Amino acid sequence: LVAETRGPVSDTRNERTRLAARSIDRTDRSILELLQQDARKTHRALAKAVGLTASSAWERVKRLERDGFILGYRAVIAPCMLGADIDVVARLELRSTLPAGFRHFESALKFSPGVLGAKRMGSPGAYLLRLASRDSVAWTEGVIEKLGLRVITFEIQLVVEEIKPYRDPPIRALINWRADQASEEP
């Protein structure tokens, strides 16, 4: 059973998925995989790997960026090397159900350097945060107090060992999923 969601967000997402499945070919997928493995790969190296000229590879990369397949490039930094040796997962639920309170909190999360990741969960006002700092507990309590937010639930778990670091999903798994979805559509 697949839960069906309706509304502007899901409709837009479904349309993007349908368009994306049709708008890239095997060469584009190979380029995406290669860049996911090493974003510093030159256009010449990409071209050689996929059997194109350097200018053709560059044009494809630019199109993939323009069309929203490639959102950016980044270096992955080890927080512990910079003194942020505490890695914490925090789950909290805000008491307020006002959208303005959520937006205010989410804005603060986006601009907070100690927040490695933040996700809004299914319950109204529920969030899951990944924090790195020298003192994540004080940071978390400070942010909540600064914003004047009331919290129903606040749980912190110290990460003692990372078994598998978060990585972007593999291109092949996403493409196979899209192909399965496309074949089920009328």
Side-chain angles (χ1 to χ4, degrees):
L1 252 199
V2 175
E4 187 175 312
T5 57
R6 297 184 191 279
V9 173
S10 63
D11 290 346
T12 303
R13 187 176 301 136
N14 290 339
E15 183 61 23
R16 274 195 315 238
T17 300
R18 280 192 290 278
L19 289 173
R22 283 185 244 143
S23 63
I24 64 172
D25 61 17
R26 181 174 291 155
T27 302
D28 290 334
R29 289 192 296 266
S30 295
I31 289 171
L32 290 172
E33 283 181 304
L34 291 164
L35 288 174
Q36 192 177 49
Q37 293 165 11
D38 180 5
R40 297 185 330 160
K41 194 174 283 294
T42 66
H43 293 118
R44 183 171 295 196
L46 278 175
K48 184 176 181 182
V50 298
L52 294 174
T53 65
S55 62
S56 294
W58 183 80
E59 287 171 13
R60 281 182 180 251
V61 169
K62 288 298 172 197
R63 182 179 45 80
L64 290 166
E65 290 171 352
R66 185 179 59 248
D67 291 350
F69 287 92
I70 298 173
L71 299 177
Y73 303 90
R74 65 188 176 103
V76 179
I77 309 298
C80 64
M81 298 300 288
L82 301 173
D85 52 358
I86 297 177
D87 187 359
V88 169
V89 175
R91 187 181 77 76
L92 61 97
E93 191 172 335
L94 302 179
R95 183 175 304 261
S96 170
T97 57
L98 300 174
F102 298 154
R103 285 192 302 271
H104 187 59
F105 181 63
E106 290 169 11
S107 179
L109 291 175
K110 289 176 185 175
F111 296 105
S112 180
V115 177
L116 299 179
K119 300 195 183 288
R120 185 177 340 125
M121 306 310 285
S123 308
Y127 295 88
L128 186 63
L129 311 176
R130 182 85 184 260
L131 311 168
S133 73
R134 290 189 171 102
D135 187 357
S136 293
V137 174
W139 175 89
T140 314
E141 291 169 351
V143 167
I144 292 169
E145 287 173 17
K146 240 190 288 186
L147 295 174
L149 298 171
R150 297 205 172 144
V151 176
I152 296 172
T153 305
F154 185 67
E155 298 173 5
I156 293 178
Q157 295 290 321
L158 180 66
V159 176
V160 293
E161 181 181 4
E162 185 168 49
I163 307 302
K164 181 178 180 180
Y166 174 80
R167 297 286 186 250
D168 291 327
I171 302 298
R172 288 179 196 270
L174 295 176
I175 297 300
N176 290 340
W177 177 83
R178 282 193 183 142
D180 292 344
Q181 294 295 316
S183 67
E184 294 173 8
E185 292 179 9

